[in-house]
Amino acid sequence: NKRYHTLDYFYRKKFGCKVFKVSLDAGFTCPNIDGKVGTKGCIYCSNKGSGEFAGNKNEDLVIQFETIKNLLLKKWPNSKYIGYFQAHTNTYAPVNVLKEKYETILKIDNVVGLAIATRPDCIDDECLDYLAELNEKTFLTIELGLQTIHPKTTDLINRCHDLKCFEEMVSKLKARGIFVVAHIINGLPYETKEMMIENAKYLNKINIDGIKIHMLSI
């Protein structure tokens, strides 16, 4: 009943039932915080790595999952789940660490997939190979932060990667058959309505599977 497919609609069509994302904080950091590419982070990022609705990073991942899941089950009983690695940059670790964290969640009953939020500059070739293997086992979504296509805004928000980096990573992921969702932010400083429409037009032209639209909040 909308001009687009909502995530809820997509999941119901794919899995035949209600599916919700369970947000997790796996204790990762970010190269834009630890000094690899920057130290101040993106200007919109919170001290929770934009993971306000994720679990408590000081708790075991399974405990986090069960806590969040049980809250959401009150609203949506008899559902299935996507483990959502949300806070900070969730491919920013050695593959053996990623494997332990991701596959811990996949072992939980009624988990039908994983959604992994990350930066396009934080997936090396070894990680790509592992993600391709993971994609054979479960429904995998990689959520890539783009935020804007406009270089002046990218510099202002201290994103510390460019559009070419994003495009190259989309191509690498799609070559492996991996489902890709791009994140954009509407309302970034000094961006006009026309600039935000240009962001949307750009995304319509590239090979992605979904868009997550954030509204800037201060």
Side-chain angles (χ1 to χ4, degrees):
N1 65 340
K2 294 181 174 64
R3 294 171 61 193
Y4 56 91
H5 287 180
T6 65
L7 184 62
D8 181 61
Y9 175 87
F10 172 77
Y11 282 159
R12 287 182 186 273
K13 291 285 285 186
K14 182 172 183 62
F15 298 107
C17 65
K18 173 67 180 180
V19 175
F20 60 75
K21 293 166 76 174
V22 178
S23 297
L24 304 166
D25 187 335
F28 295 109
T29 183
C30 175
N32 199 8
I33 292 174
D34 71 6
K36 185 174 181 180
V37 300
T39 56
K40 296 181 180 179
C42 302
I43 64 170
Y44 52 79
C45 193
S46 71
N47 61 4
K48 291 187 177 181
S50 296
E52 271 63 33
F53 301 102
N56 181 348
K57 69 179 180 180
N58 297 315
E59 292 182 340
D60 177 85
L61 275 176
V62 175
I63 293 174
Q64 285 187 45
F65 188 96
E66 293 295 329
T67 300
I68 302 294
K69 179 198 79 175
N70 289 335
L71 285 174
L72 296 176
L73 275 177
K74 295 176 183 177
K75 183 174 183 181
W76 297 303
N78 305 313
S79 299
K80 294 184 179 178
Y81 326 115
I82 299 284
Y84 182 26
F85 287 83
Q86 180 183 15
H88 291 292
T89 303
N90 292 278
T91 56
Y92 191 45
V95 165
N96 64 306
V97 174
L98 301 179
K99 184 173 183 178
E100 188 275 328
K101 291 180 183 292
Y102 299 164
E103 298 192 16
T104 292
I105 298 303
L106 285 178
K107 292 175 184 176
I108 298 173
D109 289 346
N110 290 319
V111 170
V112 294
L114 296 178
I116 299 169
T118 189
R119 292 169 56 96
D121 57 352
C122 286
I123 306 177
D124 61 21
D125 288 342
E126 184 183 6
C127 183
L128 276 168
D129 289 342
Y130 170 59
L131 293 176
E133 292 176 18
L134 196 61
N135 194 46
E136 296 294 321
K137 300 177 183 178
T138 192
F139 177 65
L140 176 65
T141 302
I142 298 298
E143 300 191 6
L144 288 180
L146 171 62
Q147 320 312 354
T148 181
I149 64 169
H150 302 288
K152 286 185 178 180
T153 311
T154 299
D155 291 342
L156 176 64
I157 65 177
N158 196 44
R159 186 64 189 161
C160 293
H161 71 71
D162 59 14
L163 185 59
K164 182 180 177 182
C165 176
F166 173 83
E167 291 174 341
E168 289 175 347
M169 185 50 59
V170 170
S171 294
K172 289 178 180 180
L173 290 164
K174 295 308 299 179
R176 290 161 172 81
I178 296 172
F179 201 85
V180 176
V181 168
H183 287 212
I184 60 172
I185 299 176
N186 280 346
L188 287 169
Y190 308 113
E191 288 213 346
T192 62
K193 177 181 178 180
E194 290 71 26
M195 292 169 74
M196 288 182 265
I197 290 172
E198 287 172 7
N199 291 332
K201 287 181 175 179
Y202 166 80
L203 290 174
N204 278 331
K205 294 177 181 178
I206 65 170
N207 187 21
I208 58 170
D209 302 287
I211 303 172
K212 188 171 186 178
I213 305 171
H214 301 266
M215 304 301 152
L216 183 68
S217 59
I218 305 298

